[in-house]
Amino acid sequence: MSGRRLFSVPARRASVAPFLWMLLFFLLPFGFVLKISLSHTAISQPPYLPVFDPAEGMAAIKAAFSALSLENFRLLASDHLYILSYLRSITVALISTAILFAIGYPVAYGMSRLPTRWQPIAMILVIVPFWTSFLIRVYAWINILQHDGILNKTLLALHLVSTPVVWLSTDTAMYVGIVYSYLPFMILPLYAALAKIDSALLEAAADLGSSRLTTFWLVTFPLSLPGVGAGALLCFIPIVGEFVIPDLLAGSNSPMIGQTLWLEFFTNRDWPVASAIAVVMLVLLLAPLLVYDRLQRRQLEGRR
């Protein structure tokens, strides 16, 4: 057996692992959620009908399938609560991602221009917040932003304000918490893309008469676009479904879709509607993933 064939067999077997992972931990659970979203709410355990029972035979399973309906999805399209929750979640995610990019790109650019021996230290400083529980970090911001918290005391001591500012239960506090929590997810992909740029390209642009600003826009930034896309997706997608930060730091006047889903699932005990919310949210989040995949394919084709 040739060496190429010998190593190709383990490689094929190893390539099956990601597909099994997706099948067991994504497609199968999604199938259950989709089935519940097509069911009807009931005062029972579990709180929906119909419930499949394979022991009753194919006739019972066919009857259960025939009882499924799209009523929960029609409800989502007709109720302003759900529509506004989706729109608010997408708006918050877009604004937060833009802020994260505006802060993260200069930080990542500075890290990539540090001497090689200092870059690992800078990376450690970026990921240090991950060493503390996410929930503890959010609660820390509650202490900082509360009426008599550190922020208001500092502003009063510097005579920047005359009375304590209301920070908690506002969108400002929510954006602060989101940007603080997700900033490493933006910095690390950007740093990985910027650190891989060949310095010879920048030197060649300088030799051809390009200024630093021109070199950045024509060479550095285009080559870092894969990192920009990866960082944007890593931030945008989880922010859309964020629950903890809006629930603890923002007001309750206009909830995000994660809060609405929690309300339907745990308070109203309406599992079918909650599942329908989750299915629609997943479908909405597939759009940016497909766009990113298409752009990546075009870039690879262009290199060939």
Side-chain angles (χ1 to χ4, degrees), residues 1 3-16:
M1 181 181 293
R4 183 176 180 180
R5 185 177 179 183
L6 179 64
F7 285 103
S8 65
V9 174
R12 292 196 192 99
R13 292 177 179 174
S15 65
V16 177

Side-chain angles (χ1 to χ4, degrees), residues 104-124 126-127 183-197 223-224 226-228 230-231:
Y105 199 99
V107 175
Y109 183 82
M111 289 172 57
S112 66
R113 293 298 177 265
L114 287 174
T116 306
R117 66 178 182 277
W118 293 108
Q119 291 184 12
I121 298 175
M123 186 179 298
I124 290 174
V126 169
I127 64 176
L183 188 58
F185 292 103
M186 177 63 75
I187 292 176
L188 295 179
L190 288 172
Y191 166 72
L194 289 167
K196 291 191 301 183
I197 297 177
L223 291 176
S224 67
V228 174

Side-chain angles (χ1 to χ4, degrees), residues 51-288:
V51 178
F52 294 160
D53 188 0
E56 295 182 2
M58 287 301 300
I61 295 177
K62 290 180 180 179
F65 269 105
S66 63
L68 300 178
S69 70
L70 297 173
E71 188 61 32
N72 297 312
F73 293 96
R74 297 190 187 99
L75 175 63
L76 298 185
S78 60
D79 196 321
H80 293 293
L81 170 65
Y82 305 112
I83 296 174
L84 293 176
S85 295
Y86 280 117
L87 291 177
R88 175 171 169 77
S89 297
I90 293 173
T91 302
V92 169
L94 287 173
I95 295 174
S96 300
T97 304
I99 297 173
L100 286 164
F101 173 74
I103 298 174
Y105 199 99
V107 175
Y109 183 82
M111 289 172 57
S112 66
R113 293 298 177 265
L114 287 174
T116 306
R117 66 178 182 277
W118 293 108
Q119 291 184 12
I121 298 175
M123 186 179 298
I124 290 174
L125 293 176
V126 169
I127 64 176
V128 157
F130 284 106
W131 298 353
T132 307
S133 169
F134 170 76
L135 193 59
I136 292 176
R137 285 183 277 135
V138 176
Y139 273 108
W141 275 108
I142 295 178
N143 293 328
I144 294 172
L145 299 175
Q146 62 187 1
H147 186 76
D148 57 345
I150 298 173
L151 180 59
N152 274 330
K153 288 181 179 179
T154 303
L155 294 176
L156 290 170
L158 296 174
H159 302 288
L160 296 177
V161 296
S162 57
T163 58
V165 181
V166 177
W167 297 104
L168 283 179
S169 299
T170 63
D171 285 354
T172 301
M174 177 185 64
Y175 284 117
V176 169
I178 289 175
V179 170
Y180 168 76
S181 301
Y182 286 91
L183 188 58
F185 292 103
M186 177 63 75
I187 292 176
L188 295 179
L190 288 172
Y191 166 72
L194 289 167
K196 291 191 301 183
I197 297 177
D198 191 352
S199 59
L201 297 175
L202 306 180
E203 294 174 0
D207 292 340
L208 293 173
S210 295
S211 63
R212 290 186 177 182
L213 184 60
T214 303
T215 302
F216 174 79
W217 283 114
L218 296 181
V219 180
T220 304
F221 186 73
L223 291 176
S224 67
L225 285 178
V228 174
L233 287 178
L234 284 174
C235 295
F236 177 82
I237 291 176
I239 291 173
V240 170
E242 182 60 55
F243 167 76
V244 174
I245 297 175
D247 192 63
L248 295 178
L249 298 180
S252 58
N253 295 330
S254 50
M256 292 178 63
I257 198 61
Q259 296 167 282
T260 305
L261 194 153
W262 174 278
L263 178 68
E264 293 292 349
F265 194 90
F266 291 100
T267 304
N268 298 338
R269 296 283 293 174
D270 196 339
W271 288 19
V273 171
S275 299
I277 292 173
V279 170
V280 173
M281 183 169 64
L282 178 62
V283 172
L284 289 176
L285 293 178
L286 281 176

